[in-house]
Amino acid sequence: DEKMQKVFKLTQDGKNKEIGQAVQEALDAGCDPTAILNDAMIGAMAVVGDNFKKEIIFVPQMLAAARAMKAGVEVLKPYLATGEAGSAGTIILGTVAGDLHDIGKNLVGMMFESAGFEVIDLGVDVPIQTFIDEVNAHKEASIVALSALLTTTMPSLRDTVAALLKQPFRNRIKIMVGGAPISQEFADEIGADAYTEDAASAAEQAKKYAE
Ligand code: B1M
């Protein structure tokens, strides 16, 4: 579809000024919001990642694509997040130390909110101690959700989970992990309670914990 193609291209080319309107046009034309997100925007990011690996593009272009994706998601957000915010519980969310990627984490946060959770988003490059302090500060929190996007920050995810498991609050929280290089096998190995592949299934899992 032409409208979807445009969103794809503007994400890939990092056109953060134009993308909002293109997303709106796709929505107005009846394109499915989830398809716009998955096929057009995340699809474009996969191409961007590929081109980066092949050294066709470099960090600045990757960053521009990320900005465009964020601008596009802002327009999509009301169409994706349908649930009522509030009462399902509180989730502490962040990208682990050493890792600056936040688009996937933000989508996970959005889906949690949409599933009725209060989300405390600690951002990116979050030190282990910050996670511990925030869980202590929020007695109502029942889930800690950790994102890691680099093979080089998988050890950081491992260390964060290990530190959380040692805390007195361990029995009060479930530890959820995810991100492109993470697998069920790795999650099991490091002792996380749950691994999910994408934002929607992360929210499904959190809902199961909240039941
Ligand atoms: Co980076 N980067 N990056 N990058 N970047 C990748 C990840 C890479 C695969 C590109 C590539 O080489 N093909 C590669 C990693 C390779 C590896 O690990 N071996 C890479 C690299 C190498 C780097 C740098 C080292 C580059 C450099 O400086 N030389 C550097 C590292 C910086 C750091 O973190 N310390 C770097 C920097 C950057 C930017 C800052 C420029 C930018 C990020 C901007 C930002 O996030 N604000 C960036 C980007 C944009 C990418 C790619 C192109 C896109 C990432 C993205 O947003 N994808 C990426 C290539 C790719 O992904 N194909 C790449 C879309 C997003 C929706 O997907 O985050 O996977 P994702 O989230 C998914 C799932 O993983 C899951 O749900 C989401 C979908 O619903 N999920 C969870 C995520 N967290 C979850 C948590 C859960 C459950 C599910 O439960 C708690």
Side-chain angles (χ1 to χ4, degrees):
D1 174 88
E2 190 191 313
K3 305 270 186 216
M4 294 273 282
Q5 278 302 324
K6 192 171 173 190
V7 174
F8 190 110
K9 184 89 175 61
L10 291 173
T11 307
Q12 186 182 344
D13 295 345
K15 303 287 187 196
N16 67 315
K17 301 245 158 58
E18 295 157 51
I19 190 151
Q21 196 186 334
V23 170
Q24 193 59 59
E25 280 170 15
L27 288 165
D28 293 345
C31 298
D32 174 38
T34 308
I36 299 175
L37 178 69
N38 290 334
D39 303 342
M41 302 177 93
I42 297 181
M45 291 309 257
V47 173
V48 167
D50 252 23
N51 287 342
F52 174 76
K53 206 158 72 186
K54 293 180 189 143
E55 299 187 3
I56 297 168
I57 62 160
F58 300 92
V59 169
Q61 287 100 320
M62 199 154 68
L63 196 56
R67 290 212 182 98
M69 168 123 193
K70 284 187 186 185
V73 168
E74 277 310 306
V75 178
L76 268 187
K77 209 171 171 174
Y79 298 84
L80 292 169
T82 48
E84 272 175 49
S87 56
T90 299
I91 300 179
I92 294 176
L93 171 70
T95 301
V96 299
D99 200 318
L100 301 175
H101 296 85
D102 71 354
I103 295 177
K105 168 190 69 69
N106 294 344
L107 290 176
V108 170
M110 205 172 87
M111 296 308 287
F112 282 157
E113 279 175 358
S114 156
F117 291 91
E118 170 93 34
V119 176
I120 298 170
D121 187 344
L122 305 179
V124 297
D125 191 16
V126 180
I128 293 172
Q129 192 58 44
T130 305
F131 282 112
I132 295 171
D133 291 345
E134 292 292 324
V135 179
N136 279 320
H138 295 277
K139 303 285 182 231
E140 75 284 11
S142 56
I143 296 172
V144 180
L146 307 168
S147 180
L149 254 286
L150 297 166
T151 49
T152 52
T153 54
M154 289 168 72
S156 175
L157 180 66
R158 177 199 300 270
D159 294 345
T160 307
V161 172
L164 291 170
L165 291 173
K166 282 196 209 116
Q167 299 304 311
F169 55 60
R170 198 285 170 250
N171 291 330
R172 148 164 80 91
I173 55 151
K174 295 288 186 193
I175 304 170
M176 294 180 58
V177 299
I182 311 306
S183 61
Q184 182 65 58
E185 197 184 4
F186 183 72
D188 291 342
E189 189 188 309
I190 67 175
D193 295 310
Y195 160 78
T196 51
E197 195 177 359
D198 57 30
S201 38
E204 287 301 315
Q205 179 61 57
K207 271 196 279 185
K208 278 186 205 148
Y209 283 141
E211 271 166 12

